[in-house]
Amino acid sequence: FSAVFPLKYIDVIMANFLIGYLCYDYIHYATHHFAMTSPLGRYLRKYHLQHHYASEKSKYGVSSPLWDYVFRTVDGPKENH
């Protein structure tokens, strides 16, 4: 991070990165091992399990599908015929 950000911001950037990673990791673990009962939890679980069981070349988002829309990986790659 120090190659990209000024040193005076490194502590804050690292703290937020670690918090974000832990949120991602806990949600990923929960989607595989716990019953997700809230509407948001059910949506995230269904969305993530589609990545594993329907198309592993799409739906990479675990805690949010946002980046799948940004990188156009919601539906997976288009097949050329």
Side-chain angles (χ1 to χ4, degrees), residues 14-52:
M14 282 298 300
N16 282 285
F17 175 81
L18 289 172
I19 290 168
Y21 178 77
L22 287 173
C23 289
Y24 156 82
D25 201 38
Y26 290 143
I27 291 170
H28 187 225
Y29 184 83
T31 60
H32 286 281
H33 300 285
F34 296 107
M36 307 283 275
T37 56
S38 72
L40 177 61
R42 286 193 311 266
Y43 170 79
L44 290 174
R45 184 168 200 264
K46 180 180 176 184
Y47 188 86
H48 179 63
L49 292 180
Q50 287 175 352
H51 163 72
H52 285 293

Side-chain angles (χ1 to χ4, degrees), residues 43-44 47 61-74:
Y43 170 79
L44 290 174
Y47 188 86
V62 172
S63 56
S64 168
L66 170 69
W67 295 110
D68 286 322
Y69 286 101
V70 172
F71 294 114
R72 299 180 182 169
T73 56
V74 173

